[in-house]
Structure formats: structure tokens, C-alpha cells
Amino acid sequence: MHGLYRKPGPPLKWQQVVYSLIVLGHDVHVGHLTALSYHGYEHTLKLGVAQRIRLYSTRSLPSWVGKVDIGPGFIKMKRNLFPDGSIGLINVSFGTWDWPIPYSSAERAFIELASTLETREDILQAKLMLEGAANLRPMLLQSLLEACGNIQTKRLFLWLARTIGHPWYKHIDISRINLGTGKRQVVSGGTLDAQFLITVPKEVQDGQQPKADHF
């Protein structure tokens, strides 16, 4: 028998859908902006705009996920950053039965965010969010950055961290992180950062503080 079934009861919550996927054997976790919202960074997101739930999964999600009437819906993100999929994940209890749902730690979620930054506006908004992250754990960031397989993501995250200048940045040993070779263009019309060899918005590189649009 095919289709989607549920017992009568209160309206479904998106966490119940995620836990159902886990019970069905899907390797899935909540990450990116959704995890950052859970960790307290939602105040930098655009007010009044419902953010779709960002899910990472090692395989395609069942078609019924898109048919469940839960706003604002789900986005399946690419999961190509960490060969060890469990690094930097935490379990968050949900509901009466304390169902464990894997979330990205704030450290992992910021690196996941860096992997999707493509425009000047994206970068300025991410910078605004990271400015409020003074308490990230450098040992976990070190492990995540060493494990991350995406060169541009690592360079961009480290550039943002250096630009902001939180104390934890000084405790990251960049020499242990594979940053590849050659230049990477993150934004067109930007300026090249001499340390990380990526093109970034000129006004941020020069230390100015332009107003950022919201995600």
C-alpha cells in the first residue's frame, strides 16, 4: 500500500516529519539557517519571512515529504562538506517522548552557511550573523575545517572570521587546514584577498560597514 498516513490528532510539526524520516532509516539532520535559528541567530533573519526547514540527507527524501501540509516546507541541502557526516552534530530532544533529532552545532551550521554564499548580499548577511557568534568553540571549528572537503567554503569562512576578529579565530591553526591552491572568485567585481585568494566584496575588505539585505 502506497501513500502517506497519520493518526488523527493535533497538527503535525516539522520535527515530527524529520523524526519519521530517521525512524525510516534516513541519515538526515537539521542544518544551515534552521540550525542557526535554533542556536539563537534568528534575530538577524528577515522579519516576517518564514524560512523553509534546511535538511541534509545522504539520499533523496521520499516524495511524501513535499506533500505534507506543513508551512513553510523543506529544502534538501547538498551534503558534500564532511566525509564524516556526524562531526559537529548534536541531538536535540523534541516532544513528550524526547525524540532525538540531529542538528548542526552552531560551528557546523556557520560552515554550512558559508558553503552557499554566492552574492554580495549573502556575504554581508552572513557577516552580520557571524558578528554575533563570539562564543564559537575553536577546537570544534578546527576539527570541522580540517574535515571539510570544500576549499572555497573553508577560505570564505576563515576570511569572514578574520575580518570580524573574534578571539576564537586566533586559536585556529590555519597551517593544519587544506586550503588548496589557486584563486577562487566568490563574487564578481570584488577584490582579491591576498591571504585566502578569494574575491570578496570590496567594501567589507576595506573595513566599511554597508547595510546588508536579509536572507
Side-chain angles (χ1 to χ4, degrees), residues 11 13 48 54 109 111 118 125 127 142 210:
K13 297 182 180 298
R54 266 70 172 185
I111 295 173
E118 297 180 343
Q125 179 64 20
K127 179 176 180 289
Q142 183 78 45

Side-chain angles (χ1 to χ4, degrees), residues 32 37 49 52 72-73 78 83 117 143 152 171 182 191 205:
H32 202 269
S37 177
V49 176
R52 289 203 282 171
K78 294 181 179 179
L117 302 179
S143 297
Q152 180 167 302
H171 296 282
T191 187
Q205 184 76 354

Side-chain angles (χ1 to χ4, degrees), residues 91-135:
N91 280 329
V92 175
S93 297
F94 171 76
T96 304
W97 302 102
D98 290 332
W99 294 336
I101 297 179
Y103 279 66
S104 293
S105 60
E107 291 84 358
R108 175 165 174 154
F110 271 114
I111 295 173
E112 290 172 342
L113 177 65
S115 74
T116 63
L117 302 179
E118 297 180 343
T119 68
R120 169 187 175 276
E121 290 74 20
D122 287 347
I123 292 172
L124 296 180
Q125 179 64 20
K127 179 176 180 289
L128 180 64
M129 298 180 75
L130 195 58
E131 283 173 351
N135 296 320

Side-chain angles (χ1 to χ4, degrees), residues 38-111:
Y38 168 78
H39 291 296
Y41 299 97
E42 74 279 0
H43 62 281
T44 63
L45 303 179
K46 190 172 182 180
L47 297 177
V49 176
Q51 296 288 329
R52 289 203 282 171
I53 307 305
R54 266 70 172 185
L55 293 181
Y56 288 81
S57 178
T58 54
R59 54 194 173 105
S60 298
L61 299 178
S63 60
W64 59 259
V65 173
K67 300 175 183 177
V68 177
D69 186 17
I70 297 179
F74 297 91
I75 296 178
K76 180 184 178 297
M77 309 294 290
K78 294 181 179 179
R79 190 175 187 177
N80 58 355
L81 295 179
F82 302 99
D84 177 3
S86 64
I87 186 171
L89 296 183
I90 61 172
N91 280 329
V92 175
S93 297
F94 171 76
T96 304
W97 302 102
D98 290 332
W99 294 336
I101 297 179
Y103 279 66
S104 293
S105 60
E107 291 84 358
R108 175 165 174 154
F110 271 114
I111 295 173

Side-chain angles (χ1 to χ4, degrees), residues 172-178:
I172 297 176
D173 185 352
I174 296 176
S175 68
R176 291 166 47 191
I177 302 169
N178 177 16

Side-chain angles (χ1 to χ4, degrees), residues 111 114 144-159 177-180 196:
I111 295 173
L144 286 163
L145 290 167
E146 289 183 27
C148 180
N150 188 284
I151 297 297
Q152 180 167 302
T153 294
K154 292 184 285 189
R155 292 189 193 183
L156 186 51
F157 175 84
L158 288 167
W159 170 79
I177 302 169
N178 177 16
L179 296 178
F196 295 116

